[in-house]
Amino acid sequence: AGVDDFGCFSHFEIEVTLTEQGLDHVEEVGELIFSYLRLVRASEVQSWVLDEMKQLREVKFQFADDKQPYDLVSTLARNLQNFPPSAVLSAPVKLPAPDLAAAAEVLGLLTVDGVRVELV
C-alpha cells in the first residue's frame, strides 16, 4: 500500500496478490479491505503515529544515497515546479508537521464509493 503523487492529485494504492483460489473470492477480499479501512476511520488518529512517520522520513532524507549529477538536476528542476527553492531538496521526502485533522480527512475519503479496482 502506498501513496503516489502525480502533481495535481495523489492516489492511494493497495496491491493484493491472490492465489488461484483467492481469485474466486475477489469480492470478499475487497470487503475485508474496506472493513479494515472502516475500522481505521472509526479509530482516532494517533499523533505518535504521525510523529514517527515524520521521524522516519527525516532519517530517510538524512541518509539518502547520493544521486548522479544529471539525475539530481532533473529532480530539482521538477521539484521547483511544486516547491519553493528553499525546500526543493527536502520537501518531496520530509513530512510537514503532523496534522491530525488532515489525516482524518484523508481516511474519510478512502471509501468504496471512490474506489477503482483493477484485476490483473
Side-chain angles (χ1 to χ4, degrees), residues 2 4 13 19 23 29 39 41 47 50 53 56 73 105 108 112:
D4 290 323
E13 181 178 298
T19 62
L23 289 171
V29 171
L39 176 68
R41 272 195 308 274
S47 62
L50 298 179
M53 289 173 57
L56 288 171
V73 168
E105 183 180 343
V112 73

Side-chain angles (χ1 to χ4, degrees), residues 38-55:
R38 278 191 299 277
L39 176 68
V40 171
R41 272 195 308 274
S43 305
E44 187 174 317
V45 177
Q46 303 295 313
S47 62
W48 69 266
V49 173
L50 298 179
D51 289 336
E52 192 168 289
M53 289 173 57
K54 185 175 190 263
Q55 289 175 346

